[in-house]
Amino acid sequence: MFRQIIVSLGATGLGSAAGLLAQLSCLCQRTRLRRLLLPLGFGALLAGAPPLFAQDVIAGASLQPAAGVRQGGAMFQVQRDGHSAYLFGTIHVGKADFYPLDAKILQAIQQSSCIALEIDPNNNQAMVPLIKKYGIYPDGKSHQKDLPPKLQKELAALLEKYGMAPDQVASLKPWLIATMLGINEYSSQGYLSQYGVDTTLANLAKKSNKRLVELETADAQLSLLGSLSYTEQVQFLQDSIDEIQDPAKAQRSLELVNLWRSGDVDGLAAMLAEMNSEDTFASKFMQRSLLDGRNPGLADGIAKLANSTNAPFVAIGMLHLVGPNSVLAILQQRGYTVTRVY
């Protein structure tokens, strides 16, 4: 379950690995985070530079996808009262062959006045204190001994699988450990955070001198998990480990990536409905807080941007665009015409 959250939610960003590793190493020396930070993620607490973000990518020069190969995602145009915006569904882990983005996506970016993301994934200065605030115990001590014995054993096995010692995550709160495990599991399958679409788009904005707009704040995103009670965090960690260990659910997580790649919106909606039917804390929290709770605010930001600037290019996690309470559904309820263009 938690890996679905990771690939479907917004772009916070641990940014460039080397600089942030040094900063957090100084701030949190006792947590021994050096090997942890690179794969760390909350939907998009993601590290690493994007594979392609030069001007040539925007123009598509000599970087066109192979014939018949779909590059992934789905893009819509939303319109009302003469105002419009492009809305693209992203994923926050990937592979090198996700790029270049499709020519239709690149053309929409080239024509846009700005690029809007959930948040700027490269804002490292803001991220370091927030990780410390919401994800690390202030006393610097290990609290793993307080976890149920069964969970301690399962966690130790996964840490060994990923080549990590328990003391490397000793001072992390359970939700942050769950996040780290999800990113590591995707990485073990070859899907890396450095190829996340949001980070690539943030760098495209910089390289093309386009204004980058944040629809949310990193503090708001992280606080959703950081404000969970200890009991809820422990259950969240247990659900996440159960999902990684269940072969059927593990395969479903990989299928989510395939559905994004094929742009199968109906398939994604069906998978989301299936996840919502599960009686786990993680699935209910994902739908209630990480999707339904944020979608109205994202829709507000998109509408405001469409009314104030010319043809903005908006990119948010793909699961925000499917289901009865999606951002697209909210915009349609507010009188916007929604047309799929890719």
Side-chain angles (χ1 to χ4, degrees):
M1 169 54 64
F2 195 74
R3 284 182 288 151
Q4 282 93 332
I5 296 172
I6 294 210
V7 297
S8 65
L9 296 185
T12 331
L14 285 179
S16 176
L20 193 57
L21 279 170
Q23 293 178 60
L24 275 173
S25 177
C26 293
L27 282 171
C28 314
Q29 220 167 17
R30 285 180 291 178
T31 64
R32 300 185 183 179
L33 292 177
R34 291 172 181 81
R35 293 176 59 198
L36 166 67
L37 292 175
L38 183 59
L40 192 62
F42 154 60
L45 291 176
L46 303 178
L52 297 169
F53 52 82
Q55 287 283 0
D56 286 346
V57 180
I58 298 179
S62 73
L63 289 172
Q64 293 298 330
V69 176
R70 196 180 192 283
Q71 294 306 93
M75 183 170 68
F76 302 83
Q77 188 173 31
V78 296
Q79 298 173 297
R80 191 185 74 177
D81 300 331
H83 300 284
S84 68
Y86 290 105
L87 189 49
F88 179 55
T90 66
I91 192 168
H92 309 305
V93 293
K95 293 184 176 182
D97 65 2
F98 282 19
Y99 302 95
L101 296 171
D102 188 86
K104 289 183 178 180
I105 307 300
L106 297 175
Q107 184 178 20
I109 294 172
Q110 190 173 37
Q111 294 173 350
S112 68
S113 57
C114 65
I115 294 177
L117 305 173
E118 291 167 31
I119 66 171
D120 181 357
N122 294 328
N123 189 359
N124 300 337
Q125 187 174 2
M127 283 308 306
V128 172
L130 291 175
I131 288 290
K132 186 178 181 182
K133 175 182 178 181
Y134 291 115
I136 299 173
Y137 286 112
D139 57 15
K141 297 179 181 178
S142 174
H143 290 257
Q144 289 184 34
K145 65 181 183 301
D146 298 327
L147 298 175
K150 174 178 176 290
L151 182 55
Q152 290 185 46
K153 184 177 179 179
E154 292 172 334
L155 174 59
L158 282 180
L159 291 176
E160 182 178 2
K161 173 184 176 180
Y162 302 132
M164 302 183 69
D167 63 353
Q168 291 180 283
V169 298
S171 296
L172 302 187
K173 293 183 179 180
W175 76 261
L176 193 49
I177 297 174
T179 305
M180 176 272 296
L181 293 177
I183 286 289
N184 270 281
E185 181 61 21
Y186 264 114
S187 296
S188 74
Q189 300 294 331
Y191 293 98
L192 305 177
S193 57
Q194 70 194 68
Y195 293 112
V197 175
D198 302 85
T199 304
T200 300
L201 291 172
N203 284 275
L204 273 170
K206 180 178 180 180
K207 291 292 180 178
S208 58
N209 295 315
K210 286 186 182 290
R211 181 166 63 102
L212 181 62
V213 178
E214 293 182 297
L215 298 174
E216 297 181 305
T217 67
D219 193 300
Q221 286 194 352
L222 280 174
S223 66
L224 292 172
L225 287 165
S227 62
L228 292 175
S229 70
Y230 179 76
T231 300
E232 290 171 331
Q233 291 190 45
V234 170
Q235 187 58 57
F236 199 55
L237 176 58
Q238 182 66 70
D239 290 346
S240 302
I241 289 178
D242 290 345
E243 190 269 339
I244 291 174
Q245 294 179 330
D246 185 319
K249 291 182 179 180
Q251 182 58 41
R252 186 178 65 182
S253 295
L254 296 179
E255 180 60 20
L256 186 64
V257 181
N258 294 331
L259 290 170
W260 177 85
R261 190 67 186 265
S262 64
D264 188 348
V265 174
D266 291 337
L268 286 165
M271 182 172 286
L272 183 60
E274 179 185 346
M275 291 188 291
N276 289 340
S277 68
E278 297 176 352
D279 188 23
T280 65
F281 174 80
S283 62
K284 296 181 185 304
F285 175 71
M286 182 186 74
Q287 186 66 53
R288 180 185 70 250
S289 299
L290 301 183
L291 292 175
D292 290 351
R294 295 167 60 210
N295 285 345
L298 289 170
D300 289 343
I302 293 166
K304 181 178 179 180
L305 195 60
N307 289 333
S308 62
T309 189
N310 181 43
F313 182 90
V314 180
I316 60 178
M318 189 73 161
L319 286 188
H320 290 290
L321 303 183
V322 301
N325 301 316
S326 70
V327 168
L328 290 178
I330 293 171
L331 289 173
Q332 284 181 312
Q333 293 166 8
R334 297 179 182 180
Y336 282 85
T337 299
V338 176
T339 306
R340 183 166 181 176
V341 293
Y342 171 71

